[in-house]
Amino acid sequence: SQQGEEDPQALSIQEGENATMNCSYKTSINNLQWYRQNSGRGLVHLILIRSNEREKHSGRLRVTLDTSKKSSSLLITASRAADTASYFCATALSGGYNKLIFGAGTRLAVHP
Amino acid sequence: NAGVMQNPRHLVRRRGQEARLRCSPVKGHSHVYWYRQLPEEGLKFMVYLQKENIIDESGMPKERFSAEFPKEGPSILRIQQVVRGDSAAYFCASSPPQGQGGNSPLHFGNGTRLTVT
């Protein structure tokens, strides 16, 4: 079973709406990271949140981390058609180097 | 500043042939990771290398797959005697040297899409 699992698997919204994606994991982590992947491309790092942090912002992105529930959420506010992509959470395990374990991702479609 | 460069972008091989995938990390990065991605799935860790050393190959099949990151030149992921099940996108990522626990994001290349016919 995967360390990180996102839900929903797919999300379809209109431009201007907010998009929320969730991620759950199983073991203790050092940090959790969110990445974006456009079709046919590599992953682009969005935001990293450490295990001792609860919330982090970057532009229209807001990430929360609840280590007691082993879960994280990514909120994209005021979405744009250009936000259409797959979004993955990845965990770096405690005591380890930066070997990331990825979930299966959320496919976001933002319609103009 | 060049990012992670992977080549080729697309590779077609017949069953039984060898596939060689190359990855040049970001300049100054000494840590390289290889991941495999099947359609509609997340990335699966294969191997983590530092210059001239394999640190963790727990995600790499024991047979037919090998990886290296020589002192000079790119990292190479080699798949011998390819089978149809090897068809996937293979991504390389790099990061700078860091302490245990690593708090640096990975920089990914655009991947090599391997098709085995």
Side-chain angles (χ1 to χ4, degrees):
Chain A
S1 59
Q2 297 187 88
Q3 165 71 337
E5 295 186 5
E6 290 95 336
D7 89 274
Q9 290 186 330
L11 183 61
S12 182
I13 59 175
Q14 297 296 128
E15 264 192 329
E17 294 181 337
N18 295 342
T20 299
M21 290 160 264
N22 303 297
C23 169
S24 60
Y25 57 92
K26 294 181 171 63
T27 61
S28 295
I29 61 171
N30 185 60
N31 66 67
L32 185 144
Q33 304 179 31
W34 284 90
Y35 287 80
R36 164 196 169 125
Q37 183 181 36
N38 286 80
S39 181
R41 306 287 295 213
L43 276 70
V44 174
H45 178 258
L46 295 176
I47 200 161
L48 181 154
I49 186 164
R50 293 181 172 80
S51 59
N52 61 353
E53 297 176 313
R54 292 297 167 258
E55 188 171 312
K56 210 159 180 183
H57 296 255
S58 176
R60 293 184 295 113
L61 305 181
R62 173 177 167 254
V63 167
T64 62
L65 178 64
D66 186 335
T67 53
S68 66
K69 294 181 179 177
K70 291 187 167 58
S71 67
S72 173
S73 68
L74 170 66
L75 168 67
I76 303 174
T77 59
S79 63
R80 305 166 182 167
D83 294 329
T84 295
S86 291
Y87 292 82
F88 296 90
C89 72
T91 49
L93 304 184
S94 291
Y97 41 81
N98 209 15
K99 168 184 170 180
L100 296 182
I101 309 298
F102 285 84
T106 293
R107 291 182 298 283
L108 173 67
V110 181
H111 303 284
Chain B
N1 288 329
V4 175
M5 303 300 293
Q6 288 188 250
N7 68 81
R9 285 297 308 275
H10 299 274
L11 182 61
V12 179
R13 284 287 179 265
R14 292 198 182 96
R15 278 178 298 169
Q17 291 185 320
E18 177 179 289
R20 277 184 177 243
L21 287 62
R22 294 175 183 77
C23 167
S24 296
V26 172
K27 189 175 180 181
H29 286 190
S30 57
H31 297 212
V32 165
Y33 305 76
W34 285 93
Y35 286 82
R36 177 163 65 178
Q37 185 180 35
L38 294 172
E40 309 298 321
E41 293 189 11
L43 275 69
K44 296 291 190 284
F45 170 80
M46 297 182 73
V47 61
Y48 162 47
L49 310 103
Q50 294 179 19
K51 281 286 186 182
E52 299 185 276
N53 288 304
I54 296 175
I55 307 302
D56 181 342
E57 55 183 348
S58 59
M60 201 154 67
K62 295 284 185 281
E63 297 179 356
R64 302 189 298 108
F65 285 72
S66 62
E68 63 177 10
F69 188 18
K71 187 176 179 182
E72 301 291 338
S75 175
I76 305 287
L77 179 67
R78 182 182 178 206
I79 311 172
Q80 295 177 291
Q81 298 175 324
V82 296
V83 301
R84 288 221 171 103
D86 296 333
S87 294
Y90 292 84
F91 289 93
C92 170
S94 71
S95 71
Q98 56 197 289
Q100 190 181 33
N103 276 314
S104 297
L106 297 185
H107 298 251
F108 280 85
N110 281 326
T112 292
R113 277 145 190 85
L114 173 65
T115 302
V116 180
T117 61

